[in-house]
Amino acid sequence: MKITLTLNGKKTEAEIRPDMLLIDFVRQQGCSSVKRGCETANCGLCTVFMDDQPVLSCSVLAARADGHRIDTLEGLQEEAEEFGAFIAGQGAEQCGFCNPGMIMNAIALFREIPEPSVEEIQEYLAGNLCRCSGYEGQLRGILDFIEYRKNGGAR
C-alpha cells in the first residue's frame, strides 16, 4: 500500500506493507533517534510527534500516518538543541539511551505547559523508561532549565 506523509517537514511517499509499524517506517527513512525499546508502548524510546502530539511509534501502524505530519528529533533539532545541551551539561543524561524520547516528551511538555509544576513534569516523564537515574537527574535538569529560561538564558 502507498502512503504519503510529511516527515520532518519533507513530503514523503512510500510503498509499505499494511502491517508495518511507524517506528520501522521512520527508521527506514533514516530517523535513528527513534529507538526500539520495549515494543509494548511502555518505555517512550520510540516517541514521535504526529500532528504535534506525542505518540509511541511502536504502537501505531505506518498506514495510520498517511496524510499526517510526523516529526522526529531529527526534525526538531533547533527546538531540542538548547534543552538537550542543557541537560547534558547538567549530567542528567547518564548513558543517553532514553534521551531522544525524553527530549521529545520535554518538548511536548514545554509546548503545552511553559512553566510546569513538579507533578506535571513527573507525569510527562512517567512514560519514559530510564534505567540509569531514576528520573532525578532529568527532573532536576528540567527544573533548572525552566529557571534558566526565566532568567533569560543566564545561569
Side-chain angles (χ1 to χ4, degrees), residues 11 14-15 31 36 39 50 52 56 64 67 75 77 80 92 98 112 120 129 140 144 146 153:
K11 184 177 178 182
E15 196 67 40
C31 301
R36 187 177 300 284
E39 297 189 59
M50 181 181 284
D52 289 326
L56 299 171
R64 298 204 96 199
Q77 282 300 301
C98 69
E112 189 172 322
E120 289 167 326
L129 179 63
R140 184 183 61 252
D144 289 348
I146 292 165

Side-chain angles (χ1 to χ4, degrees), residues 44 47 49 54 73 76 79-80 83-84 87 98-116 120-121 123-126 128 138-139 141-143 145-146 149:
T47 302
F49 287 169
L73 196 55
L76 300 172
E79 194 171 354
F83 176 68
I87 290 292
C98 69
N99 268 14
M102 196 269 296
I103 290 172
M104 292 294 286
N105 281 302
I107 290 171
L109 170 66
F110 296 142
R111 285 178 176 180
E112 189 172 322
I113 310 166
E115 293 186 30
E120 289 167 326
I121 295 168
E123 186 177 312
Y124 271 78
L125 291 181
N128 288 80
Q138 288 96 336
L139 176 60
I142 289 172
L143 290 169
F145 183 71
I146 292 165
R149 287 197 326 189

Side-chain angles (χ1 to χ4, degrees), residues 5-12 25-27 29-34 47-49 68-77 104:
L5 55 93
T6 303
L7 179 61
N8 295 326
K10 179 182 167 195
K11 184 177 178 182
T12 305
F25 177 79
V26 296
R27 288 188 60 81
Q29 301 300 312
C31 301
S32 59
S33 70
V34 183
T47 302
V48 300
F49 287 169
H68 293 276
R69 188 176 81 243
I70 304 297
D71 292 300
T72 68
L73 196 55
E74 286 85 358
L76 300 172
Q77 282 300 301
M104 292 294 286

